[in-house]
Amino acid sequence: MPEHPVLGEDAERSDAVERPPVFGVRNLWKVFGPKADRVPGDAELGGLSQTELRARTGCTAAVRDVSFDVRKGEVFVVMGLSGSGKSTLVRCLTRLIEPTSGSLEIDGEDVLAMDKNRLRELRRHRAAMVFQHFGLLPHRSVLDNVAYGLEIQGMGKAERRAKAAEVVAKVGLEGLEQRKPVQLSGGQQQRVGLARALAVDPEVLLFDEPFSALDPLIRRDMQEEVIRLHGEEGRTMVFITHDLSEALRVGDRIALMRDGRIVQLGTPEEIVGSPADDYVRDFVRDVPREQVITVRTAMRPGDCGGPGHPGALAPGTVVSSAIETVARSGASACVVEDGRCLGVVDHQSLLRVVAGIDREEVAA
């Protein structure tokens, strides 16, 4: 599981300034059914449960008053169980599904005001989607499937095939360029789908539960591929999943949905370490905390000699790794950032995190 550094309050504020939002979503609703547009503006109807709303109006509120930003260069995960509204929400970002009300921007441009030509440009060039079902063209080779989006854009044959060959190699399919989809495994087919999206060089990649049909080992390989590509390119990604372990593995931030609403939005560490309510608490109950919580949360005030200390740890180090360091040295470890000691962790403070015991509880 990757280490997710959690920023301090001041650092997070400055990071938000340095990394402007790619998508800005405010008070977004998507309601299906007769006279759907009356639901968002009616506080009484908007407050009804899904069952009550259907009984009263015949409508279903798939997305309810949702607001968030997707920051440039992050992997933003939207997760929830079936029927939570996650797929509907992400399809609203490019108006594959038309929102009922609210505001939606990409790089400050109003998506809801885009005409057909501007929307086509958004979907072809700026935000490419990778679906669970690959949708590969069976009569075309791997190379020509990857080049398809470039062909639609009007790029010449030689140029698009050269570009496609670069991307095929990037996703680990070099040597398979001339195979047809039927000759590929499920994981290889998904890599072709990923390559096809990457080939058009979009600003944002939108993943709609792309790996849920794959075997567990292949699924893990594809998760690693996403993490690797993000590390190499820093491309903004929005990733839909119903799998908590997948969300924790790939996400910088996670929006956890239930009945069309976001019940908590935060880093993996915030979701696991500080659940917003009983629903989230139950969701993360079986997550090994030591593989998600970092030493920035576990540390206590103190100074043990700075970066030259044999047990120096970066603040984004997960607790499971820190336990190994402390066990090997038999002493506390210093949490160091930019040559400055932020605090110390020892066996006791690390075990408190594993057990889910807050410092306040210990003090009481």
Side-chain angles (χ1 to χ4, degrees):
M1 186 167 295
E3 295 174 3
H4 291 275
V6 177
L7 301 171
E9 192 172 314
D10 292 339
E12 187 153 11
R13 256 198 305 269
S14 66
D15 185 61
V17 172
E18 292 171 8
R19 297 168 62 191
V22 175
F23 278 111
V25 179
R26 296 292 177 270
N27 308 115
L28 197 73
W29 287 78
K30 177 56 191 178
V31 183
F32 295 96
K35 299 181 180 178
D37 56 355
R38 64 182 165 152
V39 176
D42 188 316
E44 181 186 359
L45 292 178
L48 297 176
S49 69
Q50 297 284 37
T51 302
E52 292 168 334
L53 183 65
R54 277 194 296 272
R56 179 88 67 90
T57 67
C59 292
T60 299
V63 176
R64 293 172 170 249
D65 197 22
V66 165
S67 299
F68 62 90
D69 289 328
V70 177
R71 300 170 187 161
K72 185 175 178 61
E74 78 172 329
V75 181
F76 186 90
V77 174
V78 182
M79 75 154 298
L81 300 178
S82 178
S84 62
K86 58 188 184 299
S87 290
T88 300
L89 172 59
V90 174
R91 280 169 166 75
C92 284
L93 295 181
T94 56
R95 284 174 57 193
L96 290 172
I97 292 177
E98 287 287 347
T100 304
S101 70
S103 67
L104 169 60
E105 295 182 344
I106 181 168
D107 294 325
E109 182 180 358
D110 187 349
V111 175
L112 302 184
M114 290 180 176
D115 61 19
K116 289 183 178 179
N117 289 334
R118 196 69 179 143
L119 268 180
R120 190 178 301 115
E121 193 272 340
L122 169 67
R123 295 167 186 164
R124 287 183 180 176
H125 298 275
R126 301 170 70 182
M129 188 161 262
V130 181
F131 294 97
Q132 174 183 342
H133 302 292
F134 321 120
L136 303 181
L137 301 170
H139 61 288
R140 289 194 174 212
S141 67
V142 166
L143 193 67
D144 286 336
N145 264 285
V146 173
Y148 182 68
L150 300 173
E151 181 180 346
I152 294 297
Q153 291 180 4
M155 184 180 290
K157 184 174 182 179
E159 185 180 358
R160 71 175 180 256
R161 285 173 69 88
K163 173 67 174 176
E166 290 178 16
V167 182
V168 165
K170 183 177 288 186
V171 301
L173 292 176
E174 197 167 16
L176 304 181
E177 291 88 347
Q178 300 310 315
R179 291 195 183 183
K180 297 294 197 294
V182 72
Q183 297 173 294
L184 304 176
S185 68
Q188 289 169 334
Q189 289 182 35
Q190 189 57 280
R191 286 174 188 266
V192 176
L194 176 57
R196 184 174 56 190
L198 283 170
V200 298
D201 196 25
E203 182 180 1
V204 187
L205 277 174
L206 306 173
F207 293 88
D208 185 9
E209 299 210 54
F211 312 142
S212 60
L214 301 177
D215 292 337
L217 289 178
I218 299 174
R219 181 171 187 160
R220 185 176 180 85
D221 285 345
M222 290 303 300
Q223 292 167 3
E224 289 287 353
E225 189 69 14
V226 167
I227 294 167
R228 182 185 68 81
L229 286 170
H230 183 258
E232 290 179 359
E233 299 188 343
R235 195 184 302 269
T236 307
M237 299 179 178
V238 179
F239 197 101
I240 309 169
T241 183
H242 65 270
D243 186 322
L244 178 61
S245 64
E246 184 167 75
L248 295 173
R249 184 172 180 76
V250 305
D252 294 313
R253 288 192 300 149
I254 299 168
L256 180 55
M257 294 190 70
R258 182 188 189 191
D259 294 335
R261 300 186 187 276
I262 294 178
V263 293
Q264 187 168 1
L265 195 165
T267 65
E269 181 166 15
E270 289 165 345
I271 298 285
V272 172
S274 303
D277 58 19
D278 288 342
Y279 178 76
V280 182
R281 193 170 293 109
D282 191 53
F283 221 101
V284 303
R285 179 179 54 195
D286 297 326
V287 174
R289 292 168 56 86
E290 68 275 12
Q291 295 181 23
V292 180
I293 308 296
T294 68
V295 294
R296 188 186 287 275
T297 295
M299 68 185 183
R300 56 178 173 77
D303 191 341
C304 54
H309 187 272
L313 298 168
T317 304
V318 292
V319 165
S320 58
S321 297
I323 289 173
E324 294 178 16
T325 300
V326 170
R328 279 197 304 269
S329 68
S332 60
C334 189
V335 182
V336 177
E337 185 175 49
D338 297 328
R340 181 170 59 93
C341 183
L342 304 181
V344 296
V345 290
D346 54 25
H347 196 64
Q348 186 178 28
S349 62
L350 295 171
L351 288 181
R352 278 205 304 270
V353 170
V354 176
I357 302 171
D358 295 330
R359 291 191 189 95
E360 290 77 6
E361 294 180 56
V362 174

